[in-house]
Amino acid sequence: MRKSLVIIHADPYPVMEFDHYKNLVIEANNNNIILTTHWRSEWIDIMTSGDISYLMSQKHENGYHHHGANHPTSPDGYSNDPVFMTDSRYKGSMADYLNKFSKLNRYVELTSASMSDEEYDWIDTIHYDSNGINNLDTEYITLPSEQIFKGVTVASIGHYFPMYGGASLSEINSRFNLMKSLYDSDRVGVCSVVFHIKNFITYSQQIKDWFKFLSFSSIETIGIKQLLSSFMKE
């Protein structure tokens, strides 16, 4: 049976509300889907103790989402790249980044990451990674690979983002239809898709339909650690 990943990137957006994430979790739970949510540092700033308790009560996986200094659109301000330390957007080193996340990771296990600038910023306690965005041919049905980031052996998996590139609603619907048809193909690999929390506001029906497709197709949707830990043992 083909396995599936649903990865959530908790990027910032103008009005971030934890209830938006809860709505996504409810839909995932209704369809027996395990989410892997990678949190940007901006979400840590707004999380309450109640939000953290909610994460602790759920079965979903969590991890880090980091845009380093060389991210093309939106660095989060934390970096070990010495060139970036004089940039006006610089907030601190990766030690400062991890100190911020101690608010969360002292209670919730963070087991994987999706990030740029791995050569400078990789977190040495993390052994599971996902990356990708817009290549349906290589990042949607994909196989794990082994990477070395800052001397750390990491199991990595691609992911496909169907809303990439400012696509129109008809383009996005076409991508979802193609994703469903490719699932039924003879390609070997994991169905790996990424969404942002904010996408569940604008494209809730498309995401709900995808979750139902995974559930009705008897596709087991698991977390990144659960998937890649078996790969690391092979």
Side-chain angles (χ1 to χ4, degrees), residues 39 45 105 136 144 205 223:
W39 299 95
D45 291 329
N105 66 20
L136 189 64
Q205 192 58 55

Side-chain angles (χ1 to χ4, degrees), residues 22 25 53 57 62 85 118 126 129 135 138 143 150 171 177 181 192 220 225 233:
K22 287 184 177 181
V25 169
S53 295
S57 74
N62 293 275
M85 293 178 185
E118 296 93 341
I126 297 298
D129 159 78
N135 193 326
T138 62
L143 289 169
K150 286 185 64 181
E171 288 175 311
N177 289 333
S181 68
S192 184
E220 185 182 15
K225 179 185 177 182
K233 293 173 184 175

Side-chain angles (χ1 to χ4, degrees), residues 49-227:
S49 58
D51 297 335
I52 292 171
S53 295
Y54 179 81
L55 291 175
M56 293 170 65
S57 74
Q58 297 297 312
K59 59 188 176 181
H60 304 283
E61 292 190 11
N62 293 275
Y64 301 93
H65 186 43
H66 168 56
H67 288 189
N70 297 296
H71 189 275
T73 60
S74 56
D76 58 30
Y78 295 94
S79 178
N80 285 340
D81 183 346
V83 175
F84 191 65
M85 293 178 185
T86 58
D87 192 292
S88 61
R89 297 168 294 175
Y90 179 73
K91 296 178 182 177
S93 68
M94 289 304 290
D96 298 313
Y97 175 89
L98 291 173
N99 184 59
K100 176 185 284 286
F101 269 87
S102 66
K103 174 182 175 180
L104 177 62
N105 66 20
R106 73 180 67 178
Y107 303 107
V108 176
E109 187 180 19
L110 304 180
T111 56
S112 59
S114 52
M115 58 191 292
S116 69
D117 297 67
E118 296 93 341
E119 69 275 20
Y120 291 110
D121 297 345
W122 189 255
I123 299 164
D124 60 11
T125 58
I126 297 298
H127 295 275
Y128 309 113
D129 159 78
S130 77
N131 265 298
I133 186 167
N134 61 10
N135 193 326
L136 189 64
D137 288 333
T138 62
E139 291 165 351
Y140 166 53
I141 296 182
T142 183
L143 289 169
S145 63
E146 185 176 291
Q147 307 288 335
I148 305 293
F149 297 144
K150 286 185 64 181
V152 179
T153 301
V154 176
S156 182
I157 191 86
H159 57 236
Y160 176 66
F161 179 42
M163 287 82 170
Y164 79 89
S168 67
L169 182 59
S170 62
E171 288 175 311
I172 290 169
N173 287 334
S174 294
R175 290 170 184 172
F176 274 104
N177 289 333
L178 183 55
M179 286 156 56
K180 291 174 183 177
S181 68
L182 286 174
Y183 162 74
D184 292 324
S185 72
D186 59 359
R187 290 192 188 185
V188 176
V190 177
C191 295
S192 184
V193 178
V194 64
F195 304 114
H196 296 166
I197 293 176
K198 66 180 180 181
N199 296 145
F200 198 62
I201 302 170
T202 309
Y203 304 108
S204 61
Q205 192 58 55
Q206 285 77 11
I207 295 174
K208 287 178 181 179
D209 288 347
W210 181 248
F211 286 0
K212 289 174 183 175
F213 168 77
L214 295 176
S215 180
F216 292 160
S217 302
S218 299
I219 305 173
E220 185 182 15
T221 304
I222 60 178
I224 288 177
K225 179 185 177 182
Q226 186 180 353
L227 175 79

